[in-house]
Amino acid sequence: MKLLFLGPPGAGKGTQAKMVAEKFNLMHIAPGDIFRQEVREGTELGRLVEGIMAEGRLVPDDVTTQIIEKRINSPEAANGFVLDGFPRNVAQAEALAQILGARNDGLDLVINLEVPEEELLERARTRRVCSACGKPYNIKLDPPKTEGKCDVCGETLITRQDDNEETVKQRLKIYHEVTEPLFEYYNRDGIVISINGCGDLDSVFQRIVQSLEEKGLSGKR
Ligand code: AMP
């Protein structure tokens, strides 16, 4: 199964993409997570992308595409993958089509997570991530067991540098300008489905799993 999650920043793509990857034994591939890890580790790539991310701009296509290509073609992705945050513009979509086309392959489904803009801003205000492992929380809807601490590794939760209101607005602007045209791009293949991304995590997840079943992609008919 080869899936792509599309949707504005804060729609819950990361959380849902990880849940789907785990359920169906797929590789979760998220450039945002990869870049944040590189920033935490202070690598050369981390230093290159830190300022770009803090301003809500996109990392250059060639850098991002190279990183994603390596993962898509890795043994961990042999059973399939869930792309979360790539492609983010038409040039990246074309690069992905080439990478997959080289092995006679293509995406099975594009999942559009729909959330109204007001709620996206509220979610960014209430989102926290673990400073060590990057696990995301929502302090209202999905709080950690101990306030301010990660359930998994116990480290301190922080606000993402790009979750301040100004940067979120910039990320939304880029989403509307360069990512939204991807719906038209993938609609030509008739592989886009829209899912209501509002409500609790499990309800949204059930909607996604049901859609995969209806499409005959879950291994269950
Ligand atoms: P995300 O975690 O998906 O919200 O991504 C956080 C940030 O990482 C974005 O605002 C960009 O700066 C960068 N980023 C993530 N995915 C991409 C991509 N496909 N192309 C370029 N930059 C990206």
Side-chain angles (χ1 to χ4, degrees):
M1 190 171 5
K2 282 138 291 159
L3 304 177
L4 161 61
F5 273 80
L6 275 184
K13 294 186 300 294
T15 305
Q16 295 296 333
K18 271 184 211 133
M19 289 163 82
V20 169
E22 195 170 315
K23 180 172 173 74
F24 297 105
N25 188 24
L26 307 168
M27 188 180 190
H28 174 233
I29 305 176
D33 286 354
I34 296 165
F35 292 145
R36 276 185 291 279
Q37 168 116 20
E38 298 282 337
V39 171
R40 279 198 297 273
E41 290 174 1
T43 65
E44 199 180 324
L45 175 61
R47 286 196 296 279
L48 172 80
V49 301
E50 189 169 15
I52 298 175
M53 290 175 79
E55 289 171 17
R57 292 184 291 121
L58 293 186
V59 173
D61 289 342
D62 55 339
V63 175
T64 312
T65 302
Q66 231 179 25
I67 288 170
I68 298 305
E69 179 171 17
K70 223 193 269 167
R71 286 178 170 70
I72 285 177
N73 288 327
S74 70
E76 292 94 319
N79 191 41
F81 54 77
V82 185
L83 286 172
D84 157 19
F86 180 93
R88 243 177 163 96
N89 59 29
V90 171
Q92 292 182 5
E94 283 168 350
L96 175 65
Q98 257 189 11
I99 294 167
L100 293 176
R103 51 184 226 196
N104 252 335
D105 213 347
L107 292 176
D108 295 308
L109 200 63
V110 175
I111 298 171
N112 171 25
L113 267 190
E114 292 185 311
V115 175
E117 196 135 323
E118 238 334 283
E119 186 164 338
L120 295 173
L121 295 173
E122 172 62 12
R123 286 188 188 188
R125 277 192 285 269
T126 50
R127 172 157 65 178
R128 301 289 183 273
V129 295
C130 174
S131 56
C133 72
K135 182 176 162 53
Y137 295 85
N138 181 292
I139 51 173
K140 278 197 181 156
L141 303 172
D142 176 32
K145 292 190 181 82
T146 308
E147 196 184 324
K149 298 284 173 202
C150 178
D151 291 347
V152 179
C153 66
E155 292 298 329
T156 306
L157 302 188
I158 53 167
T159 300
R160 260 171 61 166
Q161 214 184 358
D162 57 356
D163 269 345
N164 66 76
E165 189 154 342
E166 193 191 334
T167 309
V168 171
K169 287 194 171 150
Q170 167 68 8
R171 288 161 65 208
L172 277 168
K173 183 166 172 272
I174 290 186
Y175 175 76
H176 292 312
E177 283 173 7
V178 307
T179 308
E180 264 177 359
L182 291 181
F183 290 114
E184 198 184 323
Y185 180 93
Y186 287 116
N187 251 331
R188 279 186 256 148
D189 299 329
I191 56 170
V192 179
I193 58 161
S194 290
I195 303 271
N196 174 4
C198 296
D200 62 86
L201 299 183
D202 287 331
S203 309
V204 177
F205 184 57
Q206 287 318 317
R207 285 178 212 140
I208 295 170
V209 172
Q210 196 181 351
S211 296
L212 293 175
E213 283 172 6
E214 282 165 12
K215 295 274 172 195
L217 286 169
S218 64
K220 211 165 88 172
R221 259 271 191 213

